[in-house]
Amino acid sequence: MMPPYEPWPPLPLHDWEDTYRTLHMWLQIVGKIRMALTPPLNHWWHVTLYANARGLTTSPIPYKTGAFEIQFDFLDHQFLIDTCDGARRVLPLEPESVAAFYGKLMEALRSLGIEVAINTRPQEVANPVPFDQDTRPGSYDRDAVGRLARILLSTTEAMQEFRGRFIGKSSPPHFFWGSFDLACTRFSGRPAPPRKGVITAPAYSHEVISAGFWPGGGAVDGPAFYSYTAPQPAGIEDEPVRPAAAAWNRQLSEFILMYDEVRRAESPRDALLDFFQSTYEAGAKRANWDRKSLEA
């Protein structure tokens, strides 16, 4: 008998850090494949992954006259490649190095007639080691990865409800493999001051208020929800936000609500939506967004 489904399970960072590092690199490899073959979309939306009922998926990736899809199945702990003509390759998700995973994935794609070249240097990590050279022992904690999948799905569902309250431009809830976070972003419709950088220039070409989930690291010692407004308006740190456990993090210049505060709430979904809504209101107020024309 399967255990009861727990939508908001615990996920202490220190319990799965090795798996986190390994999985981060595997997801970057798959994300870069999508980036190499998918037509560009504003704000890097063409590179993201998406939470689904079983884990994370690329959604269909165009290739020649057809398409294929790559999925991380975190329930049966398999890695699947499906093509639109019915072909499939299934690989186990198990402890192995990034280099071994990279080699197996590329061989599986070639066996399906899919040829793709990617930049093998990881993004947004310290001391990056090219995927094909990263032979450090990998880790794969099935239980931790399964709990991550449930958190990503529960957060995606809450984000979908939050997104439905907004009629301006808004991103879908999507997973950025570079920073390993799930995010949903609203736009005011106004251009923002230009930024430098291959990633940041197109990502922040317009004013945004973004909310998301991140497993933690560095300044945040555990999984957390975040919200930021860019460009950052003066005085936003003084705005009241909800629930009571949410607070401004001066090091990150973001509002932070620790995940454990949400999962322990009487209604985690309501607590999370309260955080998303109140931090959006704080940013929209301080940045003088035209809320009447943007909100449903």
Side-chain angles (χ1 to χ4, degrees), residues 164-188:
R165 303 172 181 175
F166 195 75
I167 59 176
K169 178 177 174 177
S170 176
S171 80
H174 46 196
F175 183 87
F176 285 96
W177 41 264
S179 49
F180 205 100
D181 67 316
L182 183 74
C184 182
T185 303
R186 293 177 168 186
F187 293 76
S188 72

mmCIF file of all heavy atoms in Angstrom, residues 164-188:
data_model
loop_
_atom_site.group_PDB
_atom_site.id
_atom_site.type_symbol
_atom_site.label_atom_id
_atom_site.label_comp_id
_atom_site.label_asym_id
_atom_site.label_seq_id
_atom_site.Cartn_x
_atom_site.Cartn_y
_atom_site.Cartn_z
ATOM 1 N N GLY A 164 -3.883 33.532 -11.697
ATOM 2 C CA GLY A 164 -5.204 33.807 -12.236
ATOM 3 C C GLY A 164 -5.818 35.104 -11.751
ATOM 4 O O GLY A 164 -6.805 35.573 -12.318
ATOM 5 N N ARG A 165 -5.236 35.699 -10.705
ATOM 6 C CA ARG A 165 -5.751 36.973 -10.197
ATOM 7 C C ARG A 165 -5.211 38.171 -10.980
ATOM 8 O O ARG A 165 -5.582 39.308 -10.694
ATOM 9 C CB ARG A 165 -5.351 37.134 -8.728
ATOM 10 C CG ARG A 165 -5.813 36.017 -7.815
ATOM 11 C CD ARG A 165 -5.196 36.165 -6.426
ATOM 12 N NE ARG A 165 -5.591 35.092 -5.510
ATOM 13 C CZ ARG A 165 -5.113 34.954 -4.283
ATOM 14 N NH1 ARG A 165 -4.222 35.841 -3.820
ATOM 15 N NH2 ARG A 165 -5.492 33.959 -3.521
ATOM 16 N N PHE A 166 -4.348 37.921 -11.952
ATOM 17 C CA PHE A 166 -3.624 38.995 -12.635
ATOM 18 C C PHE A 166 -3.928 38.918 -14.114
ATOM 19 O O PHE A 166 -3.836 37.851 -14.728
ATOM 20 C CB PHE A 166 -2.125 38.794 -12.378
ATOM 21 C CG PHE A 166 -1.252 39.973 -12.685
ATOM 22 C CD1 PHE A 166 -1.220 41.079 -11.848
ATOM 23 C CD2 PHE A 166 -0.426 39.969 -13.801
ATOM 24 C CE1 PHE A 166 -0.385 42.154 -12.110
ATOM 25 C CE2 PHE A 166 0.409 41.042 -14.077
ATOM 26 C CZ PHE A 166 0.429 42.128 -13.229
ATOM 27 N N ILE A 167 -4.286 40.056 -14.742
ATOM 28 C CA ILE A 167 -4.590 40.046 -16.174
ATOM 29 C C ILE A 167 -3.502 40.704 -17.003
ATOM 30 O O ILE A 167 -3.584 40.741 -18.228
ATOM 31 C CB ILE A 167 -5.953 40.706 -16.460
ATOM 32 C CG1 ILE A 167 -5.979 42.158 -15.960
ATOM 33 C CG2 ILE A 167 -7.079 39.898 -15.849
ATOM 34 C CD1 ILE A 167 -7.263 42.886 -16.307
ATOM 35 N N GLY A 168 -2.471 41.233 -16.338
ATOM 36 C CA GLY A 168 -1.313 41.722 -17.066
ATOM 37 C C GLY A 168 -0.443 40.548 -17.498
ATOM 38 O O GLY A 168 -0.774 39.379 -17.288
ATOM 39 N N LYS A 169 0.684 40.849 -18.101
ATOM 40 C CA LYS A 169 1.605 39.799 -18.504
ATOM 41 C C LYS A 169 2.134 39.084 -17.273
ATOM 42 O O LYS A 169 2.561 39.710 -16.308
ATOM 43 C CB LYS A 169 2.766 40.402 -19.298
ATOM 44 C CG LYS A 169 3.810 39.377 -19.729
ATOM 45 C CD LYS A 169 4.894 40.034 -20.563
ATOM 46 C CE LYS A 169 6.003 39.062 -20.882
ATOM 47 N NZ LYS A 169 7.049 39.640 -21.747
ATOM 48 N N SER A 170 2.115 37.746 -17.322
ATOM 49 C CA SER A 170 2.572 36.950 -16.193
ATOM 50 C C SER A 170 3.162 35.653 -16.717
ATOM 51 O O SER A 170 2.626 35.064 -17.668
ATOM 52 C CB SER A 170 1.414 36.655 -15.248
ATOM 53 O OG SER A 170 1.809 35.813 -14.200
ATOM 54 N N SER A 171 4.241 35.211 -16.118
ATOM 55 C CA SER A 171 4.842 33.947 -16.537
ATOM 56 C C SER A 171 4.055 32.774 -15.979
ATOM 57 O O SER A 171 3.370 32.899 -14.961
ATOM 58 C CB SER A 171 6.287 33.860 -16.037
ATOM 59 O OG SER A 171 6.329 33.475 -14.675
ATOM 60 N N PRO A 172 4.156 31.602 -16.616
ATOM 61 C CA PRO A 172 3.653 30.397 -15.954
ATOM 62 C C PRO A 172 4.574 30.061 -14.789
ATOM 63 O O PRO A 172 5.702 30.559 -14.722
ATOM 64 C CB PRO A 172 3.753 29.342 -17.062
ATOM 65 C CG PRO A 172 4.884 29.811 -17.916
ATOM 66 C CD PRO A 172 4.806 31.309 -17.904
ATOM 67 N N PRO A 173 4.136 29.235 -13.857
ATOM 68 C CA PRO A 173 5.082 28.732 -12.862
ATOM 69 C C PRO A 173 6.091 27.830 -13.559
ATOM 70 O O PRO A 173 5.713 26.833 -14.184
ATOM 71 C CB PRO A 173 4.197 27.926 -11.905
ATOM 72 C CG PRO A 173 2.805 28.400 -12.143
ATOM 73 C CD PRO A 173 2.754 28.776 -13.591
ATOM 74 N N HIS A 174 7.336 28.201 -13.537
ATOM 75 C CA HIS A 174 8.336 27.386 -14.227
ATOM 76 C C HIS A 174 9.629 27.298 -13.420
ATOM 77 O O HIS A 174 9.919 28.137 -12.574
ATOM 78 C CB HIS A 174 8.587 27.870 -15.657
ATOM 79 C CG HIS A 174 8.774 29.337 -15.830
ATOM 80 N ND1 HIS A 174 8.693 29.960 -17.058
ATOM 81 C CD2 HIS A 174 9.034 30.332 -14.941
ATOM 82 C CE1 HIS A 174 8.902 31.253 -16.908
ATOM 83 N NE2 HIS A 174 9.117 31.500 -15.635
ATOM 84 N N PHE A 175 10.381 26.253 -13.714
ATOM 85 C CA PHE A 175 11.565 25.901 -12.941
ATOM 86 C C PHE A 175 12.811 26.335 -13.708
ATOM 87 O O PHE A 175 13.052 25.890 -14.831
ATOM 88 C CB PHE A 175 11.594 24.394 -12.696
ATOM 89 C CG PHE A 175 12.741 23.936 -11.831
ATOM 90 C CD1 PHE A 175 12.623 23.917 -10.451
ATOM 91 C CD2 PHE A 175 13.937 23.533 -12.395
ATOM 92 C CE1 PHE A 175 13.678 23.493 -9.643
ATOM 93 C CE2 PHE A 175 14.993 23.108 -11.609
ATOM 94 C CZ PHE A 175 14.862 23.097 -10.231
ATOM 95 N N PHE A 176 13.598 27.211 -13.078
ATOM 96 C CA PHE A 176 14.861 27.667 -13.671
ATOM 97 C C PHE A 176 15.991 26.774 -13.167
ATOM 98 O O PHE A 176 16.332 26.786 -11.982
ATOM 99 C CB PHE A 176 15.121 29.129 -13.317
ATOM 100 C CG PHE A 176 14.260 30.088 -14.088
ATOM 101 C CD1 PHE A 176 13.078 30.576 -13.552
ATOM 102 C CD2 PHE A 176 14.614 30.501 -15.369
ATOM 103 C CE1 PHE A 176 12.278 31.447 -14.259
ATOM 104 C CE2 PHE A 176 13.820 31.380 -16.089
ATOM 105 C CZ PHE A 176 12.647 31.860 -15.533
ATOM 106 N N TRP A 177 16.560 26.002 -14.077
ATOM 107 C CA TRP A 177 17.572 25.020 -13.698
ATOM 108 C C TRP A 177 18.911 25.647 -13.338
ATOM 109 O O TRP A 177 19.724 25.021 -12.660
ATOM 110 C CB TRP A 177 17.749 23.999 -14.814
ATOM 111 C CG TRP A 177 17.743 24.590 -16.211
ATOM 112 C CD1 TRP A 177 16.671 24.675 -17.057
ATOM 113 C CD2 TRP A 177 18.849 25.184 -16.910
ATOM 114 N NE1 TRP A 177 17.032 25.271 -18.239
ATOM 115 C CE2 TRP A 177 18.368 25.591 -18.181
ATOM 116 C CE3 TRP A 177 20.188 25.394 -16.598
ATOM 117 C CZ2 TRP A 177 19.189 26.203 -19.129
ATOM 118 C CZ3 TRP A 177 21.005 26.003 -17.535
ATOM 119 C CH2 TRP A 177 20.501 26.401 -18.785
ATOM 120 N N GLY A 178 19.168 26.882 -13.756
ATOM 121 C CA GLY A 178 20.420 27.528 -13.385
ATOM 122 C C GLY A 178 20.475 27.802 -11.899
ATOM 123 O O GLY A 178 21.442 27.454 -11.213
ATOM 124 N N SER A 179 19.424 28.412 -11.385
ATOM 125 C CA SER A 179 19.349 28.779 -9.969
ATOM 126 C C SER A 179 18.578 27.767 -9.131
ATOM 127 O O SER A 179 18.494 27.907 -7.911
ATOM 128 C CB SER A 179 18.707 30.159 -9.826
ATOM 129 O OG SER A 179 17.512 30.238 -10.583
ATOM 130 N N PHE A 180 18.016 26.741 -9.758
ATOM 131 C CA PHE A 180 17.269 25.671 -9.083
ATOM 132 C C PHE A 180 16.108 26.250 -8.269
ATOM 133 O O PHE A 180 15.967 25.984 -7.081
ATOM 134 C CB PHE A 180 18.194 24.860 -8.163
ATOM 135 C CG PHE A 180 17.720 23.450 -7.903
ATOM 136 C CD1 PHE A 180 18.264 22.385 -8.593
ATOM 137 C CD2 PHE A 180 16.722 23.185 -6.974
ATOM 138 C CE1 PHE A 180 17.840 21.077 -8.357
ATOM 139 C CE2 PHE A 180 16.281 21.893 -6.729
ATOM 140 C CZ PHE A 180 16.843 20.830 -7.418
ATOM 141 N N ASP A 181 15.276 27.049 -8.930
ATOM 142 C CA ASP A 181 14.118 27.588 -8.231
ATOM 143 C C ASP A 181 12.896 27.584 -9.134
ATOM 144 O O ASP A 181 13.000 27.635 -10.356
ATOM 145 C CB ASP A 181 14.396 28.998 -7.693
ATOM 146 C CG ASP A 181 14.573 30.020 -8.798
ATOM 147 O OD1 ASP A 181 15.281 29.705 -9.784
ATOM 148 O OD2 ASP A 181 14.041 31.134 -8.682
ATOM 149 N N LEU A 182 11.744 27.479 -8.482
ATOM 150 C CA LEU A 182 10.457 27.542 -9.161
ATOM 151 C C LEU A 182 9.917 28.953 -8.995
ATOM 152 O O LEU A 182 9.865 29.460 -7.872
ATOM 153 C CB LEU A 182 9.494 26.530 -8.533
ATOM 154 C CG LEU A 182 8.110 26.407 -9.154
ATOM 155 C CD1 LEU A 182 8.201 25.656 -10.481
ATOM 156 C CD2 LEU A 182 7.167 25.666 -8.201
ATOM 157 N N ALA A 183 9.523 29.593 -10.085
ATOM 158 C CA ALA A 183 9.154 31.006 -10.008
ATOM 159 C C ALA A 183 7.931 31.314 -10.855
ATOM 160 O O ALA A 183 7.644 30.645 -11.852
ATOM 161 C CB ALA A 183 10.319 31.877 -10.471
ATOM 162 N N CYS A 184 7.215 32.359 -10.432
ATOM 163 C CA CYS A 184 6.113 32.934 -11.197
ATOM 164 C C CYS A 184 6.277 34.446 -11.137
ATOM 165 O O CYS A 184 6.422 35.012 -10.051
ATOM 166 C CB CYS A 184 4.770 32.507 -10.602
ATOM 167 S SG CYS A 184 3.321 33.107 -11.514
ATOM 168 N N THR A 185 6.264 35.098 -12.289
ATOM 169 C CA THR A 185 6.630 36.512 -12.368
ATOM 170 C C THR A 185 5.531 37.341 -13.018
ATOM 171 O O THR A 185 4.967 36.951 -14.044
ATOM 172 C CB THR A 185 7.933 36.672 -13.180
ATOM 173 O OG1 THR A 185 8.962 35.876 -12.574
ATOM 174 C CG2 THR A 185 8.373 38.123 -13.226
ATOM 175 N N ARG A 186 5.235 38.484 -12.392
ATOM 176 C CA ARG A 186 4.278 39.444 -12.936
ATOM 177 C C ARG A 186 5.028 40.652 -13.492
ATOM 178 O O ARG A 186 6.076 41.035 -12.972
ATOM 179 C CB ARG A 186 3.307 39.905 -11.851
ATOM 180 C CG ARG A 186 2.364 38.811 -11.345
ATOM 181 C CD ARG A 186 1.483 39.305 -10.212
ATOM 182 N NE ARG A 186 0.406 38.364 -9.908
ATOM 183 C CZ ARG A 186 -0.564 38.587 -9.049
ATOM 184 N NH1 ARG A 186 -0.607 39.740 -8.376
ATOM 185 N NH2 ARG A 186 -1.509 37.679 -8.837
ATOM 186 N N PHE A 187 4.441 41.272 -14.513
ATOM 187 C CA PHE A 187 5.065 42.405 -15.181
ATOM 188 C C PHE A 187 4.136 43.623 -15.124
ATOM 189 O O PHE A 187 2.928 43.494 -15.327
ATOM 190 C CB PHE A 187 5.356 42.069 -16.647
ATOM 191 C CG PHE A 187 6.410 41.012 -16.833
ATOM 192 C CD1 PHE A 187 6.115 39.681 -16.599
ATOM 193 C CD2 PHE A 187 7.694 41.351 -17.233
ATOM 194 C CE1 PHE A 187 7.077 38.700 -16.761
ATOM 195 C CE2 PHE A 187 8.660 40.372 -17.407
ATOM 196 C CZ PHE A 187 8.353 39.055 -17.160
ATOM 197 N N SER A 188 4.724 44.796 -14.909
ATOM 198 C CA SER A 188 3.925 46.020 -14.903
ATOM 199 C C SER A 188 3.587 46.483 -16.312
ATOM 200 O O SER A 188 2.647 47.248 -16.516
ATOM 201 C CB SER A 188 4.692 47.144 -14.198
ATOM 202 O OG SER A 188 5.768 47.605 -15.008
#
